[in-house]
Amino acid sequence: MAEKYDVAVIGSGPGGYAAAIRCAQKGASVAVIEKDLIGGTCLNCGCIPSKTLLASAHTLLLINHAKMMGIDVQSAVPNWPNIQKRKEAGVAGFRKGLTGLIQSHKVKIIEGRAIVTAPGKISIESDSSKTEIEAGNIILATGSAPIEIPSIPFDGKTVISSKEALSLEQIPESMVIVGGGVIGCEMACVYAAMGTKVTIVEALSRLIPMEDSWIGRLMEREFKKLGIESLTNQKVISVDKTTLPAKVSLESGQEIEAEYVLVCVGRRATVDKETVDALNLQMNGPVISVDKKMQTNISGVYAIGDVLGTTYLAHGAFAEAEVAAVNVTGGDIKIADYSLIPRAVYTFPEIASVGKTEEECNSEGLDVSIGRSFFKANGRSNAHNETTGEIRVVRDNTTNKILGVSMVGSIATELIGAARALIGSKEKITEISFPHPTVSEVLKEAAEDAFGLSLHNPPK
Ligand SMILES: Cc1cc2nc3c(=O)[nH]c(=O)nc-3n(C[C@H](O)[C@H](O)[C@H](O)COP(=O)(O)OP(=O)(O)OC[C@H]3O[C@@H](n4cnc5c(N)ncnc54)[C@H](O)[C@@H]3O)c2cc1C
């Protein structure tokens, strides 16, 4: 007899495990099925390992700037095996903790590849066994994988994805990164700090093309200081691997030598064809189609996270997991405005944004004012010798509400949570107290400036 659960979740990434725990908290009997490692992309080859490597890289840069802080340091040399060990230990520790956490909620973890064979029926296959379970509701949280460029397919040795890039055996001499989006720029920072000659090749006209153009321009300038070359409006057409380093040819005719070619041109949903066919699931191109309740076209089958292609962010998956979990356990909620899910890039300096961008507002014909404030005018940022960047706050002149915040600068990824709280508010920012001196005062200044009330900006 097949085991029966109220809810079965396929995939244990941020979407899957969050949905499973929330359903269990609401009293459901839950199974989560995982074919690989608990924690999914985020924990094992995404957010956590990349941020751990970035933290080592940041420490190295801080030491290299120690003289500016009045400290003499002989030299700082990255010990790559130890940096890797630290990263692996961190990931393994979190994976153990997460496994225990899931089990502490009495969620059954089942190892194997799950295929939905009919509504409420799942077949699970692992190396050692084949089983079937039944579930009242099913949540698909099968995530995503790196997109391959057909003319330069991944070989795991020279042409690699972010997964391999997180675990290289040695610091390479040179690397071409194809794609100047979030993952490409973060990996560029890791390796440039370690001493690799990094070249980013981006097909569009700027780095981080999903954000306003001032951000891409600023990042290009900052990357130059890190020794990163950014080639925008350029495409890689082939990689000749007969020599080492490989020869990377661009459409422009330029040739670059590189030990590794890291392809970061986006991710594609991991959708099991067998499940799609068995359920006759409605697709939206390569991603699963859902309504605002996260329900697919099949009653009792929900989908969340990267498999929807909505945010490709772990906290986007968390938000969708919350909606699906509430709905499968008797609630009735809808996903809120996606633009209110903050976007964060952990580069040097960091980038973050939430709500509408200035360029979006302009294209929608909205009458807006932009408040600006610069990190170089902030006391704490100067104390830390981290004065690059600025914060821009977009105010709707008609409603007086704050529509969006974009920032580049140190700890931008931490400040964006506070910025989210300002979106939609007409709150009198002048009456909100921010501690002094803190980097967060740059946000207060920019918001005040959006209302023409900045204390520390000269009159316009
Ligand atoms: C290098 C890198 C850095 C990133 N950094 C950040 C960051 O800083 N912040 C951020 O918000 N996001 C970041 N992301 C994105 C983030 O990792 C993803 O958005 C997030 O993991 C998506 O969660 P998910 O639950 O949808 O899918 P995933 O985390 O991909 O999990 C899906 C799981 O489903 C399992 N699975 C798939 N099919 C089946 C099946 N048939 N049966 C059983 N199991 C199955 C997979 O093995 C996997 O474990 C990063 C991604 C990468 C690659």
Side-chain angles (χ1 to χ4, degrees):
M1 271 260 291
E3 278 182 29
K4 284 190 180 155
Y5 298 88
D6 295 328
V7 185
V9 184
I10 304 181
S12 70
Y17 84 74
I21 291 176
R22 187 63 91 225
C23 288
Q25 283 173 333
K26 289 179 177 291
S29 62
V30 186
V32 63
I33 307 131
E34 174 56 60
K35 68 173 180 181
D36 197 354
L37 295 172
I38 291 290
T41 303
C42 173
L43 174 52
N44 298 292
C45 51
C47 324
I48 302 302
S50 61
K51 267 78 256 181
T52 310
L53 293 184
L54 278 159
S56 288
H58 191 232
T59 304
L60 195 53
L61 294 181
L62 286 178
I63 298 171
N64 287 336
H65 289 129
K67 210 173 174 59
M68 288 282 294
M69 308 294 277
I71 298 165
D72 291 332
V73 177
Q74 293 309 318
S75 72
V77 181
N79 181 328
W80 189 247
N82 284 352
I83 289 171
Q84 282 292 328
K85 262 188 222 151
R86 173 174 178 270
K87 180 208 70 180
E88 288 301 324
V91 169
F94 270 118
R95 195 161 53 231
K96 192 169 170 218
L98 180 61
T99 306
L101 178 75
I102 294 170
Q103 287 165 336
S104 75
H105 284 278
K106 310 265 181 289
V107 172
K108 174 87 182 276
I109 298 175
I110 305 175
E111 286 174 19
R113 178 168 181 259
I115 294 300
V116 186
T117 50
K121 291 198 188 316
I122 300 172
S123 146
I124 303 162
E125 206 171 335
S126 70
D127 289 344
S128 54
S129 67
K130 191 169 176 176
T131 49
E132 290 219 333
I133 64 166
E134 288 178 13
N137 285 288
I138 296 170
I139 301 177
L140 306 171
T142 48
S144 66
I147 290 178
E148 188 171 68
I149 300 178
S151 58
I152 45 168
F154 292 125
D155 60 19
K157 289 183 187 136
T158 306
V159 182
I160 56 173
S161 73
S162 57
K163 188 172 181 185
E164 291 86 34
L166 291 166
S167 301
L168 295 182
E169 277 178 17
Q170 287 169 358
I171 299 170
E173 296 267 321
S174 54
M175 180 181 278
V176 163
I177 299 181
V178 187
V182 176
I183 296 175
C185 286
E186 288 186 355
M187 295 313 300
C189 286
V190 169
Y191 283 104
M194 299 293 160
T196 303
K197 169 79 194 100
V198 176
T199 309
I200 300 177
V201 182
E202 166 57 52
L204 297 176
S205 62
R206 59 178 193 259
L207 301 178
I208 310 290
M210 66 298 270
E211 297 295 346
D212 279 354
S213 51
W214 68 271
I215 292 180
R217 281 197 306 272
L218 201 160
M219 291 312 292
E220 216 170 300
R221 262 197 330 267
E222 288 306 311
F223 275 11
K224 208 174 258 174
K225 294 181 197 162
L226 285 173
I228 301 169
E229 190 176 3
S230 307
L231 302 176
T232 52
N233 287 316
Q234 301 255 27
K235 276 187 187 161
V236 170
I237 49 166
S238 64
V239 176
D240 177 359
K241 294 182 278 187
T242 52
T243 58
L244 258 184
K247 285 197 177 67
V248 182
S249 299
L250 309 190
E251 212 171 43
S252 60
Q254 188 177 343
E255 227 174 50
I256 310 165
E257 288 194 340
E259 217 176 308
Y260 288 99
V261 180
L262 166 58
V263 177
C264 299
V265 292
R267 299 189 54 90
R268 63 171 166 77
T270 308
V271 182
D272 292 296
K273 194 177 176 311
E274 299 99 312
T275 296
V276 174
D277 291 347
L279 293 176
N280 210 3
L281 267 189
Q282 191 180 322
M283 301 291 291
N284 180 8
V287 301
I288 297 176
S289 190
V290 289
D291 61 17
K292 287 194 165 170
K293 294 180 179 183
M294 301 293 125
Q295 183 163 315
T296 65
N297 60 315
I298 306 299
S299 170
V301 181
Y302 291 72
I304 57 174
D306 280 10
V307 77
L308 303 180
T310 44
T311 67
Y312 290 107
L313 290 168
H315 50 286
F318 284 144
E320 291 163 345
E322 184 67 33
V323 173
V326 168
N327 289 330
V328 300
T329 52
D332 184 9
I333 61 168
K334 290 181 179 165
I335 191 86
D337 181 354
Y338 273 109
S339 81
L340 297 182
I341 293 176
R343 305 163 298 266
V345 191
Y346 299 74
T347 37
F348 309 141
E350 296 182 352
I351 306 165
S353 64
V354 66
K356 284 184 196 285
T357 68
E358 182 182 349
E359 285 171 10
E360 248 177 292
C361 291
N362 290 341
S363 69
E364 288 174 24
L366 295 170
D367 175 21
V368 294
S369 295
I370 309 301
R372 296 175 68 180
S373 183
F374 297 86
F375 286 79
K376 67 171 181 280
N378 174 269
R380 188 88 191 276
S381 302
N382 275 278
H384 283 267
N385 188 33
E386 293 193 322
T387 55
T388 303
E390 64 172 286
I391 298 184
R392 294 191 185 186
V393 171
V394 185
R395 174 176 67 109
D396 187 326
N397 291 336
T398 314
T399 62
N400 245 354
K401 287 184 180 170
I402 292 178
L403 295 179
V405 179
S406 298
M407 50 179 94
V408 174
S410 104
I411 68 161
T413 59
E414 297 291 339
L415 294 179
I416 203 68
R420 160 66 188 90
L422 296 177
I423 306 293
S425 78
K426 292 192 208 175
E427 189 96 36
K428 292 202 177 78
I429 187 76
T430 48
E431 292 172 11
I432 301 177
S433 186
F434 280 58
H436 174 77
T438 58
V439 181
S440 68
E441 288 171 296
V442 187
L443 176 60
K444 178 175 163 81
E445 283 286 333
E448 287 184 346
D449 192 47
F451 291 92
L453 292 169
S454 166
L455 270 185
H456 299 94
N457 273 347
K460 284 183 181 146

